[in-house]
Amino acid sequence: MKTIGIIIDSNAKLAVFLMENLKIIFRDYVAINSYFLKELSDGDLIRDDVILAMSKERAVEAKRYISNSENIIVIHRTIKDKEAYSIFTIPKNTKVLVVNDTKETTLETVSLLYQIGINHLNLIPYEEGGNYSDIKIAITPGESDRVPVDIQKIIDTGNRYIDISTFIQIINKLSIDNKEIRSRLIKYSETIITLDNGIKSQYKELYIKNEELDMVLNLSNEGILLMNNDNKISLSNKRFKVMFNIDEEIADKKIDMLFSKKIKDILYKENLIDELMEFNNKFIIINKHKIDYLGENAGYYYNFQEVTYIKQLEQNLSKKLRDKGFIARYSFDFIKTNSRFMVECVELAKKIALSDLTVFITGESGTGKELFAQSIHNFSKKCKQPFVAVNCAAFNESLLESELFGYEGGSFTGALKEGKVGLFELANNGTIFLDEIGDMPLSLQTRLLRVLQERQVMRIGSQRVTNINIRVIAATNKNIFEMVQKGLFREDLFYRINVLPINIPPLRKRQEDIIPLLQYFIGRSNKLELTDEVNSLLLNYNWPGNIRELENVASYIALMNEEKATLDKLPYYLLLQKNSFEKELTVIEGSFSITKGLEIIKMVDQCKSIGRKSIENSLRGFDINTSESEIRRILLCLNSLGIVSSNVGRKGTEITAYGKAFMKWIENRTNI
């Protein structure tokens, strides 16, 4: 334990007072001794860590008894603040006698009173034999018996207390500053008048800042350690001690005293960036940074994070992202179908959902690609993690890049000063849905390829990569194979995303779903009966906008019709197709026999692909006489109308989707 020695002349009572004064701050931390100057001899040697002298003169006189004169501190003393209040009430310019035990100490007391702000009085130092008959008030620090008897009012301030400035000197000399001593000193400073009014407030501010720093450090869930150039610990927080099972005070201790060689070797490495270390069955990530002061290395800062805490943070972040709307709202239960093709597609998607591999969804606009993407996510192991969707066609190149990858603050004009987290990072541990990936610029396709290969992203303006664990689902309504051949889409990226492909059939191939889905969408508001003409038109329509278009039509029908939906109250563009069929029929009737034309179309539809000679032979079986040249002329006309598609070679002639709709319109028209 460190020691303080007090050297006084011979006043034992004063020695006891000063020792008690020191104990207010240093009890349990410092041993306190007292020495009487008049009792010391030449053989005596004082070896205390700090020696307190009552004045400069006494310090000089005591030097020959002290082993190290640098340890001497001259005490500055002051009075209690409550004793000063009565002095401040004395009227201005009043003569006041100041009395102490010697002329020197009396002058010190006068100086003290002026120093603490008592400058409104005419202070008269007491001298033996002086005439003070015109003075009625005296001030004395515990020497009332020396005050002349004719003084009417004596203000005894009692023994002077050690000033806060002296305590700060002692603390610095002994290097024992800690939270408890700082707390005691603040409380003590509230009871005295400081010699330097600034010290009291400055120390209080320093104390408050230290308290705030301790609070911030100890609130952190990350371990924090500061180490100086001598490998001694300057500062640590509670979390660091908990991580490494330390229950002792470690300030000013060397790292070597706390850790095994294996851990020390890690901590002494020059560059520690996300270094993984195992300690007592815990995995801890360490980062180390050099502390520079005026260009010189002043030590090192360490940050310790438990992997389990990082995982917990990720889970909390995922929850917050879900709360902000980064969630998948739809599941496979939302997919309504009677179509065998669609049922097979859903079953395939459910199998794919059980894997974490990349999914590539193709299909026309409005077929439900995002519905499938969300359903796959909600059917997967990542269902409780974020689902982040981005439309690659909705942003220009630079904006899409910053949205996907994020950026550091100040990376470019207009960037947020705090930077921005990219969508890949927001989707970490979950799923990112890249809709309309066919519209992504080639330059970004290159960056995306690296993300898919390495599962790492780098923000714009950053040199640091971030590892990500995500499931990627991409989708497009474009012919991606044709784009690859034309060089509009990277071939290597295509093969990277086309791991688990799903093609969603268009609505025209799910004709058994058209009327049920329409009734489902209408049924949200009311129930309407559809006329046979309306049913026929809807079934024969090509539905280029698929389910999205069907839902829009349902909303229109529900609004415009009350009890029964009629042909004249359908969206105008649907009627245009009906008119188009009628025009095609007029052309056919004016060009060749309608019977021959319809039979040829039926044969093409039934046979999937058929040549002219085969058509001629089949027509003869129906007692329809024709020639191969006439058949050729009819097929050319039907091909120009878009009803069939004539191909060169073995493929022959095939009916088109438009042709199928036309034939159904003919059949329904005949039935009606």
Side-chain angles (χ1 to χ4, degrees), residues 295-466:
E296 298 293 331
N297 181 23
Y300 298 92
Y301 164 83
Y302 292 87
N303 179 276
F304 303 84
Q305 293 177 301
E306 285 191 53
V307 172
T308 52
Y309 170 65
I310 295 173
K311 289 182 177 179
Q312 184 181 356
L313 281 180
E314 290 178 344
Q315 291 171 358
N316 291 339
L317 176 60
S318 297
K319 182 180 182 301
K320 290 179 180 178
L321 290 175
R322 292 197 302 274
D323 293 342
K324 287 184 176 180
F326 291 113
I327 58 173
R329 294 181 173 85
Y330 301 109
S331 66
F332 288 117
D333 294 336
F334 284 84
I335 300 175
K336 311 295 181 183
T337 184
N338 297 312
S339 166
R340 176 177 59 85
F341 298 111
M342 197 64 172
V343 170
E344 291 175 355
C345 190
V346 170
E347 291 304 315
L348 173 62
K350 286 182 177 179
K351 290 181 181 179
I352 284 174
L354 301 178
S355 165
D356 282 339
L357 297 175
T358 301
V359 182
F360 186 39
I361 303 174
T362 55
E364 295 180 9
S365 178
T367 51
K369 295 185 289 298
E370 182 162 359
L371 175 61
F372 264 79
Q374 293 192 22
S375 300
I376 290 170
H377 173 79
N378 279 332
F379 202 76
S380 72
K381 294 178 291 184
K382 297 181 181 292
C383 60
K384 293 184 179 180
Q385 302 300 329
F387 176 87
V388 178
V390 56
N391 190 324
C392 300
F395 302 95
N396 60 40
E397 181 175 346
S398 59
L399 189 56
L400 180 60
E401 183 180 23
S402 66
E403 286 291 319
L404 288 175
F405 301 100
Y407 56 82
E408 296 295 329
S411 300
F412 51 85
T413 303
L416 297 174
K417 63 179 180 180
E418 65 272 18
K420 183 177 181 180
V421 180
L423 294 178
F424 278 113
E425 290 183 65
L426 288 176
N428 194 27
N429 293 317
T431 301
I432 189 166
F433 175 50
L434 302 175
D435 197 10
E436 307 299 350
I437 195 171
D439 293 283
M440 179 177 284
L442 283 169
S443 58
L444 288 188
Q445 291 180 26
T446 305
R447 288 199 66 178
L448 176 60
L449 180 65
R450 179 164 183 82
V451 172
L452 297 178
Q453 287 174 337
E454 307 297 334
R455 285 300 193 267
Q456 292 179 332
V457 293
M458 182 185 293
R459 295 185 187 181
I460 299 171
S462 174
Q463 299 298 317
R464 182 175 178 177
V465 295
T466 300

Side-chain angles (χ1 to χ4, degrees), residues 189-201:
S189 69
E190 300 288 351
T191 66
I192 63 172
I193 300 292
T194 59
L195 298 181
D196 184 348
N197 290 328
I199 291 179
K200 187 173 183 178
S201 59

